[in-house]
């Protein structure tokens, strides 16, 4: 299993996802500012992985902070990391968890604070891997045997600390003895499906076919696709799901063709403070990601561009939300709150 993010010798080491699949290189972050930059530049991406990176970034910042005005420094560290990307709620969940631990250590010796903060960040990582495996186990039964699974973007080991959410479900289905292959949408404009999902599944020798985003409807209509499984960056209380842009289109096409559409995500991705997906902030990214492909200009100079990184799939298109605590079904206002407890 690929090591997405690790804590080595008091530094955060992460695989550079902007270089995959042609180069498998790693970036070492020795300051929280470098971690923030890695999140913002999508060296690391995927909601759970961003959460782990944020927790490690806070720990790294505290580790190197001076002893004077530590409270103020921690606020700056957390604010810097929180400003990197707005949609994935795991980022804010992890920062909040680290802030609460820091507050509970008021009056402790600086060395004790540093030790506990690093321990907590490492715990976040280990918990994420365990959570992904539980999501996989809970979702494996939903995957039809001898069918193809369609996925969009990358919700695998690369999007988490390990194993993955949507790809974790696929891995667990195969581990349970099912014969499954995968169709991966390329996922324009950042090509996470083409660059990351295909590469990752090839490492596990899972049969995978790459398709362009606009081929999804064709194959959903063909009868070959047994189900769709995607990840999520934020899920509202009513079950509306924010995920990589293009997910909504796949969900509509899946419903039209009577193909189950499942979302796999940890409890930390739920944002029950939001009544619906209308309140989820949608990150807008640079125009160059659309006008250029791998650095090569594809559109006329001066082209007007819209580049939302995410869209929101209404709950009515979601067949089930697979979490580490079980599978939520409609009505989601009730089932999600029951899972959260």
């Amino acid at each position: 299993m690929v090591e997405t993010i690790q804590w080595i010798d008091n530094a955060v080491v992460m695989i550079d996802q902007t270089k995959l699949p042609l180069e498998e290189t790693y970036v070492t972050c020795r300051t929280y500012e470098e971690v923030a930059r890695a999140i913002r530049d999508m060296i690391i991406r995927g909601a759970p992985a961003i959460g782990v990176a944020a927790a490690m970034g806070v720990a790294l910042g505290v580790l190197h902070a001076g002893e004077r005005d530590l409270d103020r420094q921690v606020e700056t560290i957390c604010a810097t990391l929180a400003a990197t990307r707005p949609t994935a709620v795991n980022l804010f969940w992890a920062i909040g968890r680290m802030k609460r631990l820091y507050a509970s250590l008021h009056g402790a010796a600086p060395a004790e604070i540093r030790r506990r903060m690093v321990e907590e960040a490492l715990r976040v990582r280990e918990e994420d891997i365990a959570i992904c495996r539980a999501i996989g186990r809970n979702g494996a039964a939903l995957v039809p045997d001898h069918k193809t699974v369609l996925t969009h973007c990358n919700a695998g080991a690369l999007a988490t600390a390990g194993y993955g959410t949507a790809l974790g479900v696929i891995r667990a289905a195969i581990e349970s003895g099912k014969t499954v292959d995968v169709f991966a949408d390329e996922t324009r404009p950042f090509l996470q499906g083409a660059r990351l999902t295909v590469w990752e599944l090839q490492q596990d020798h899972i049969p995978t076919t790459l398709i362009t985003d606009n081929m999804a409807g064709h194959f959903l209509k063909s009868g070959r696709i047994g189900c769709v499984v995607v990840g999520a960056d934020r899920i509202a209380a009513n079950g509306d799901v924010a995920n990589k842009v293009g997910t909504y289109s796949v969900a509509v096409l899946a419903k039209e063709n009577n193909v189950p559409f499942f979302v796999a995500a940890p409890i930390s991705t739920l944002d029950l403070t939001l009544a619906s997906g209308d309140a989820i902030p949608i990150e807008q990214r640079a125009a160059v990601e659309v006008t250029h492909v791998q650095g090569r200009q594809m559109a006329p100079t001066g082209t007007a561009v819209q580049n939302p990184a995410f869209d929101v799939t209404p709950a009515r298109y979601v067949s089930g939300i697979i979490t580490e605590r079980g599978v939520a079904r409609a009505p989601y206002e009730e089932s999600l709150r029951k899972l959260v407890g």
Side-chain angles (χ1 to χ4, degrees):
M1 188 68 61
V2 61
E3 292 285 2
T4 307
I5 182 168
Q6 302 173 81
W7 181 276
I8 301 175
D9 296 332
N10 290 332
V12 181
V13 180
M14 57 185 75
I15 192 168
D16 187 345
Q17 299 190 35
T18 66
K19 300 291 179 62
L20 289 172
L22 301 182
E23 296 179 39
E24 186 176 341
T25 59
Y26 290 79
V27 172
T28 299
C29 301
R30 302 190 184 280
T31 68
Y32 76 88
E33 293 97 337
E34 290 176 347
V35 174
R37 191 177 308 117
I39 296 172
R40 186 170 53 250
D41 294 345
M42 294 179 71
I43 288 169
I44 189 165
R45 32 68 51 204
I50 289 173
V52 175
M56 289 186 174
V58 174
L60 196 59
V62 172
L63 192 65
H64 297 302
E67 295 184 11
R68 295 186 60 183
D69 296 324
L70 186 55
D71 290 353
R72 180 181 56 80
Q73 292 180 75
V74 170
E75 284 299 323
T76 299
I77 292 164
C78 292
T80 300
L81 289 161
T84 53
R85 300 193 68 191
T87 302
V89 74
N90 307 65
L91 172 73
F92 308 101
W93 169 85
I95 293 170
R97 175 170 169 171
M98 298 299 286
K99 288 176 75 173
R100 288 190 296 275
L101 174 61
Y102 175 77
S104 75
L105 295 172
H106 181 73
E112 174 68 5
I113 292 173
R114 294 188 184 100
R115 182 183 68 80
R116 291 285 301 280
M117 295 293 279
V118 171
E119 284 180 352
E120 188 72 3
L122 296 179
R123 191 173 295 115
V124 170
R125 178 183 180 274
E126 292 305 314
E127 287 176 4
D128 185 70
I129 296 171
I131 284 168
C132 286
R133 290 189 176 276
I135 290 170
R137 289 193 298 272
N138 290 334
L142 301 174
V143 177
D145 198 4
H146 298 287
K147 282 284 191 176
T148 298
V149 179
L150 175 66
T151 191
H152 186 74
C153 194
N154 173 265
L158 289 168
T160 65
Y163 202 71
T165 53
L167 297 195
V169 170
I170 294 167
R171 286 187 169 100
I174 292 170
E175 289 166 5
S176 73
K178 290 183 176 180
T179 300
V180 174
D181 71 305
V182 179
F183 269 26
D185 281 352
E186 61 176 350
T187 320
R188 279 280 290 148
F190 210 67
L191 299 174
Q192 293 97 322
R195 295 188 304 103
L196 306 179
T197 295
V198 174
W199 178 84
E200 181 178 326
L201 292 177
Q202 283 180 347
Q203 308 307 301
D204 282 1
H205 307 289
I206 295 174
T208 307
T209 301
L210 175 66
I211 62 172
T212 63
D213 295 353
N214 56 358
M215 294 177 186
H218 169 77
F219 287 107
L220 285 164
K221 185 173 181 291
S222 72
R224 176 170 179 171
I225 308 298
C227 68
V228 178
V229 187
V230 300
D233 286 77
R234 193 181 299 220
I235 301 173
N238 70 339
D240 289 352
V241 175
N243 193 48
K244 187 57 56 189
V245 69
T247 301
Y248 173 43
S249 304
V250 173
V252 172
L253 290 165
K255 190 174 184 68
E256 172 67 21
N257 290 282
N258 298 311
V259 175
F261 179 92
F262 297 112
V263 175
I267 292 294
S268 59
T269 300
L270 303 181
D271 188 350
L272 303 189
T273 67
L274 302 183
S276 76
D278 294 339
I280 297 176
I282 300 298
E283 177 185 2
Q284 300 290 327
R285 293 190 62 83
V288 70
E289 291 181 358
V290 176
T291 59
H292 292 62
V293 177
Q294 296 293 288
R296 181 181 176 185
Q297 185 170 335
M298 306 300 290
T301 301
T303 298
V305 171
Q306 287 285 315
N307 187 17
F310 305 92
D311 59 24
V312 176
T313 298
R316 64 182 177 274
Y317 295 106
V318 179
S319 305
I321 297 174
I322 307 163
T323 77
E324 69 271 29
R325 298 181 187 173
V327 180
R329 304 273 191 174
Y332 291 107
E333 290 90 346
E334 297 175 12
S335 59
L336 292 177
R337 290 193 182 278
K338 184 176 180 181
L339 286 180
V340 170

